[in-house]
Amino acid sequence: MSRVPDLKQKLVAMQRNLGLNPDEIRQRLRLLLITEARLPALQENLRQLDRVHLDCIHALFIHLEQFDEPAQQMQESAQLLQLQLEQQHYFRRMLRGPYDMQYARLRLLVGLKHQGQGLGLKWYLGAFHFYLDYMHTAIRREWAEQPLLAEQLYASLLKAAFFDIALTVDSYASADKMALQASQDRYSRALRGANDGLWEWHVEDDYLYVSERWSAMLGLDSKHAPMSFEGWADLMPEAQRLLFRSAVQAHLEGRQAFLHVECQLRDSWGQLVWVLIRGVVSTDLYGKRLLAGSQTDISQRKQAEQELAHATLHDSLTGLPNRQSASQLIAQALQRQRKPGARKAAVLFIGLDRFKLINDSLGHQAGDQVLIQVANRIERCLRPGDHLCRFGGDEYVVLLDDMALEHDAELVAKRIMQALQYPLVVDGRRLSVSVSIGVAPLKGQDYHQDALREADLALYRAKAFGKSQLALFSDRLQEEVHQRLNLENALSEALSRKQFELYYQPIVRVSAGRSKVVGVEALLRWWQDDRLVPPDEFISALEESGEIVKVGDWVLQQACTQVRQWQQDGLPGLRCSVNLSSRQLQEAGFARRVAQVLQESGLPATSLVLEITESLLMRDVPDTLATLRELESMGVRIALDDFGTGFSSLGYLHRYPLHIIKVDKSFVTKAPHDERLKAISRAIISLGRGLEMDVVAEGIETLEQMDFLQLEGCQLIQGYWFSQPQSAALIHPVLLRLSGVSSESVSAEAMLLQ
Ligand code: C2E
Ligand code: MG
Ligand code: MG
């Protein structure tokens, strides 16, 4: 199938277009006063006329050669000959007729061919004029003897020529019309496909024309369609109207190559419809400016864009603004704060307590429900101008704006905590949850990150106090955190700088009036710039940074090596107690590491006591039990340190392989004066004995405490009563003195040492 319609198809279309039928032909002939299908005068002089035509064609081609356009067509001699033959044929046919449908179709075909070759009508008409002019002279010359015949001949020739000229002119006009029609069809097909509305604004006359589709887009009928620029702009909301006007202005003034604006128009139902208006200015036939273009309905695209924008700024679970929006909102609030007379604002950082536990035990779906319900409860405590955002995980951020007093933020925080007092119902199960809240007032911080960091810091502090706590950001808190950071930095280098030292404190067995040292507890000290820092000030920092694993390992090695040394120096059965952090115990292969240290130091496993605290057992990590069992199987003994300060669950004593209970000092020291504590201490001591565990009393300082413990049958004592913790060098003579000497003399000596 050819893409371009061939000449024949075009001819049929053109014939239809011109309404060329036998009647029409007859009418044309009548109009030219041609009464028969052939012209008799011409018929009778064909031979002579044909001959004159040859000369005429020759002269015509010479004449046309002066002009570039036809000259180009005649460039090659073969082509020239061909053209001349065609011309000759044309004239022959013109003389002979018959002037019927077939004849007319042939003439249209010639016109079509010429038009297709791009030969303008003027050349055709010019050539015809030349022909008639030439023939006028030639006929008068050739038929000089028969002037009447010459006149008849010329008149007939004129008729035939005009019949031809009319058909050719029609073929040119019709071809143009058909091309225009085709282009218009193409255009309207494209428009239908694009579903765009069209508009045309006559700038100088302020006349607006809009297409049917344009009006339909807004549900307007043609009577209500705008007819002026302002009528159009009036359909837009105020702000967009300004934008539209200035975009049009910019294009008309040549600052913008095209008009390209996205804006909203109010439809006949009062709804806003997003449209894209595109256009370009041109000048019309009369030199007036015409701004014309299209209007596309882009509502769907806009909606998709808005949904996308919403998704990037909102949390998909709760639908709340997300971290990014929180940052934006706080940044905006900070800007408002800078204005004079601004009301108070604050950021609340809210963390759900023990959310991981909920997630781990009830599953993520229940966890999601909790997050949604908590968000709802918080939201109910806020005012319309406040913002609740989900910051991620189990954290929310609330921006409180427009408060009269700074203190109001705390009240809102408390209200939020109260709102969570009643259990949530998740999957038919009642669930108690609580939150901790950090509050930071907005006080012209430089960046939103600062405000968020301050609130986060306060939350961190609140969580450190335990569950369901509230903490306010303050400069002091900032200072503390600053110090903590410095501390962590300094600590990270302490090991490599050899700033740690182990102190040792004896553990003494007192029985039947005799005291004998049975072991030592290794206690860590840190020399920071000539200051001896006690462990209470730095152990938690080491634990938090994870550094405790390396440091603890060093302690273990150091203590085992030292105690092995003392065993070889006259204290053969001396035991070595080392405190463990939960982080160490959770390390994979910890028991193997202990075995390795024992082997390297030469300390028998039965001489090592590892002290753990209740909090470590409370975490209930399954591996802990396995590690403790492995240690026990090696012969290492496990002591439960600080017993009485935590949950003191009897369950632990039963479940874990524990050999020693260390009764916390806070406890025993007050017992002699407090009947309740006395009863509890007594119970702990007999509990240990019942479970066949050793019971060590810590923190014994006075004779009174000694007497009490002896009375209760607690034989293992650790405390200043015998000795403060000392460096290895200073404790060694104390240990020697404490081995096998009577208690009275030892206590006198011990007192002298203090
Ligand atoms: P702890 O394991 O309960 O150690 C006993 C604490 O009681 C030691 O404090 C000791 O000096 C103190 N003490 C002993 N007798 C008396 C007394 O008669 N009166 C008073 N007031 N205090 C007494 P220290 O050395 O400050 O250690 C504090 C805590 O730091 C330890 O408590 C232990 O939990 C932890 N710690 C010490 N060294 C290490 C270590 O190497 N690793 C780990 N993870 N923790 C350690
Ligand atoms: Mg201890
Ligand atoms: Mg203790």
Side-chain angles (χ1 to χ4, degrees), residues 640-645 660-669 671 677 680-686 688 694-700 708-709 714 716 718:
L640 189 56
D641 206 352
D642 304 341
F643 191 78
T645 53
I660 300 161
I661 297 177
K662 294 188 84 173
V663 187
D664 191 67
K665 57 178 176 292
S666 64
F667 210 50
V668 183
T669 45
L677 287 178
I680 296 172
S681 307
R682 203 173 284 144
I684 295 173
I685 293 163
S686 65
D694 284 341
V695 178
V696 179
E698 283 187 306
I700 306 308
F708 167 71
L709 289 168
C714 178
L716 293 166
Q718 181 181 351

Side-chain angles (χ1 to χ4, degrees), residues 524 533-541 665:
L524 189 58
V533 187
D536 291 338
E537 286 183 33
F538 65 85
I539 291 284
S540 65
K665 57 178 176 292

Side-chain angles (χ1 to χ4, degrees), residues 521 579 611 641 662:
E521 178 173 4
N579 291 288
E611 298 194 0
D641 206 352
K662 294 188 84 173

